[in-house]
Amino acid sequence: MLNRILIFLCLLGCTLGASAETWHLTPDDELQARLDSAADGDTLILADGIYRGNFVIKHAISLRAEHPHQAVIDAGGQGHGLLLTHSDVEITDLAIEHWGRDLTAQNAGIYSDQGASNLVIRNNRLKGDGFGIWLQKGQQIKVLGNHVRGNTELRSSDRGNGIQLSIVQQVEVADNDVAETRDGIYIISSQNNVIRNNTMHDLRYGIHYMYSHSNQVLNNYAHHTRAGYALMSSRLLTVSGNLTEESEDYGFLMNFITSSTISHNRIKQVWTKPEHKALGREGKGLFVYNSGYNNISFNRVDTAEIGIHLTAGSENTQVYGNDFINNQLQVKYVSNTPQEWSLDGQGNFWSNYLGWDLNNDGHGDTPFEPNDGIDKIVWQYPQAKVLLDSPALLLLRWIQKQFPVLKPAGVKDSFPAMGPINASNTEAGLTLAGHQE
């Protein structure tokens, strides 16, 4: 009995005596050897300088720079900069560069695919050819305040994405700045994540969703992209308070999106560059393809070639409270199913609505019907555009107005607003990352 007590006291003393240590390293030290010998809970602080190699973190440690971004991990043009194979790791204030460009091997500046949890990746600067940060099969992860840049000497399709989330849950991606990669933030097969207050520019897509559900996309800012937000094959998304401007093809691209809310977003300047013009390629503020049972409300679409384009069975969608301003074509709706774009007396604002409000209730006295049979003819036969101002087509338009029964079914807003609805979004509390108006 006495021996058991002595053994217990010895073990207790060893446990109480053990504590996490802090190690200060320089580029002259063997960083990988110190990473291998570190104990869970240790902190490794890197002095200024270049640390060359592909480093593997196998323990629950904190790795950070003594001075922000002055300790540089140089991966030598191959593999990963940092490979995380353990949970409870924190990476802070490092500069990571020159990792590999093999996208099939998923080369990344920071890489984790072992289902690690409780990772914190904060305030790092990454610049390289492949993926910036790749996280797979993990949960309870924070990616905060990082700066990610790709290699503009490579074609966009040959670059990795800035931040890639694959099969993850409960991840927060916030306050990051991503540019010149392929897509800014790419999320696939992931649930219950929050993407907020990020700035993304000079990319294919700012935020790109695939096969995911129950995610939030809040208060992000995308500019100079092909599409600010590409939402595909996903459901139960909450997309609110975001801004996109200077996109070439789409402000918001929704492809097979269901049961989602797209609200209080701002879309500005969606216009295809003259050198990229082709038949059927126009800048679309909102493009809704094969998507239904969504709520599109209180958004502002300003200066797009097409304000909103619905096609391929995109029906049973609530569209109300939006502002459509200065768009070359407000609505392109390719279907004969009638659509009412108002809810409980709340319509949308259309800058080209010419009706009156004689009873001063804030809504036009006549419905807004943006498209007629001539529009549909031109959509089906684009070559007919040359006849738009011909006497024959003008006569057909007049006949449709005089005999509404001849007009094909389409979009109707029974309560068009007489003035902008969402001019005070910012004052109402919507903050947009990195952008002030």
Side-chain angles (χ1 to χ4, degrees):
M1 183 66 176
L2 179 60
N3 288 338
R4 291 182 180 179
I5 293 173
L6 290 174
I7 292 172
F8 173 77
L9 291 174
C10 180
L11 292 173
L12 181 62
C14 291
T15 302
L16 293 175
S19 61
E21 295 194 48
T22 299
W23 305 90
H24 292 265
L25 306 176
T26 73
D28 294 328
D29 294 316
E30 291 290 338
L31 176 55
Q32 187 60 63
R34 179 55 65 189
L35 290 169
D36 292 341
S37 63
D40 289 349
D42 283 359
T43 298
L44 277 64
I45 300 176
L46 305 184
D48 298 357
I50 300 176
Y51 298 76
R52 302 184 189 279
N54 308 99
F55 300 104
V56 182
I57 298 177
K58 306 174 184 177
H59 304 284
I61 64 167
S62 174
L63 179 66
R64 61 184 177 88
E66 183 176 5
H67 302 109
H69 315 131
Q70 299 306 306
V72 180
I73 303 294
D74 186 334
Q78 62 182 2
H80 309 303
L82 293 175
L83 171 60
L84 315 183
T85 64
H86 201 285
S87 297
D88 303 296
V89 173
E90 182 170 349
I91 309 296
T92 308
D93 290 340
L94 299 178
I96 304 171
E97 61 185 35
H98 202 206
W99 58 87
R101 64 171 61 179
D102 188 339
L103 302 185
T104 303
Q106 301 169 0
N107 289 167
I110 298 174
Y111 186 85
S112 171
D113 72 341
Q114 301 297 313
S117 60
N118 298 314
L119 304 178
V120 178
I121 301 171
R122 178 187 289 117
N123 194 35
N124 302 284
R125 288 185 174 269
L126 302 98
K127 181 174 176 57
D129 296 350
F131 299 90
I133 298 170
W134 179 296
L135 303 172
Q136 185 161 294
K137 302 178 182 178
Q139 57 184 339
Q140 298 288 349
I141 298 172
K142 294 184 181 294
V143 182
L144 309 174
N146 300 282
H147 182 278
V148 184
R149 292 293 183 270
N151 182 358
T152 56
E153 295 182 1
L154 299 175
R155 294 182 309 168
S156 173
S157 58
D158 293 333
R159 308 173 204 168
N161 301 315
I163 299 171
Q164 173 122 358
L165 308 179
S166 176
I167 320 175
V168 299
Q169 298 186 48
Q170 298 176 322
V171 175
E172 180 184 7
V173 179
D175 302 309
N176 301 282
D177 186 308
V178 185
E180 299 169 347
T181 59
R182 182 171 56 197
D183 295 342
I185 302 172
Y186 180 88
I187 305 99
I188 184 168
S189 301
S190 298
Q191 299 83 44
N192 301 309
N193 305 294
V194 178
I195 314 299
R196 63 174 178 83
N197 285 31
N198 301 282
T199 298
M200 303 145 296
H201 57 95
D202 298 290
L203 305 155
R204 182 182 67 166
Y205 303 150
I207 292 178
H208 187 180
Y209 264 94
M210 294 290 294
Y211 310 114
S212 299
H213 69 79
S214 306
N215 288 268
Q216 297 182 67
V217 183
L218 308 174
N219 298 345
N220 300 282
Y221 174 38
H223 63 94
H224 293 93
T225 62
R226 283 187 57 190
Y229 304 86
L231 313 174
M232 303 183 183
S233 302
S234 299
R235 59 188 172 87
L236 296 172
L237 301 180
T238 299
V239 183
S240 183
N242 303 283
L243 168 62
T244 176
E245 55 185 352
E246 302 291 346
S247 294
E248 186 166 2
D249 292 331
Y250 311 99
F252 282 75
L253 164 60
M254 300 169 62
N255 181 5
F256 196 40
I257 295 298
T258 59
S259 304
S260 296
T261 298
I262 315 298
S263 69
H264 296 92
N265 303 288
R266 280 187 278 169
I267 301 166
K268 298 175 63 176
Q269 294 289 342
V270 188
W271 216 272
T272 302
K273 296 177 182 177
E275 62 269 26
H276 296 157
K277 278 291 185 185
L279 188 63
R281 183 176 181 181
E282 304 102 347
K284 303 170 180 67
L286 289 161
F287 181 58
V288 188
Y289 183 91
N290 193 28
S291 299
Y293 302 97
N294 299 298
N295 179 296
I296 300 175
S297 58
F298 299 104
N299 303 286
R300 184 180 180 99
V301 184
D302 187 344
T303 316
E305 289 179 272
I306 299 176
I308 180 170
H309 182 182
L310 279 82
T311 188
S314 297
E315 299 162 2
N316 298 299
T317 294
Q318 296 177 331
V319 181
Y320 63 92
N322 303 284
D323 293 331
F324 294 96
I325 300 172
N326 299 325
N327 303 302
Q328 189 176 61
L329 178 66
Q330 297 281 37
V331 178
K332 184 175 182 178
Y333 175 62
V334 186
S335 175
N336 288 321
T337 302
Q339 293 282 308
E340 173 58 50
W341 280 5
S342 65
L343 182 68
D344 297 333
Q346 173 69 73
N348 305 274
F349 172 69
W350 310 91
S351 61
N352 61 330
Y353 176 66
L354 299 177
W356 300 90
D357 178 19
L358 297 179
N359 61 357
N360 294 316
D361 66 352
H363 300 109
D365 296 330
T366 58
F368 178 74
E369 297 179 90
N371 305 136
D372 59 19
I374 305 304
D375 293 322
K376 295 193 176 185
I377 289 173
V378 171
W379 298 336
Q380 289 179 311
Y381 307 102
Q383 297 84 352
K385 284 184 177 180
V386 298
L387 302 174
L388 278 178
D389 293 326
S390 69
L393 291 189
L394 292 175
L395 177 62
L396 282 175
R397 286 193 192 275
W398 180 84
I399 291 172
Q400 285 184 136
K401 289 181 180 179
Q402 302 306 312
F403 303 96
V405 71
L406 299 177
K407 184 175 181 179
V411 168
K412 180 172 74 172
D413 181 350
S414 297
F415 299 92
M418 297 303 295
I421 301 166
N422 302 290
S424 60
N425 272 353
T426 302
E427 290 76 14
L430 292 174
T431 57
L432 294 161
H435 183 77
Q436 297 291 328
E437 290 193 327

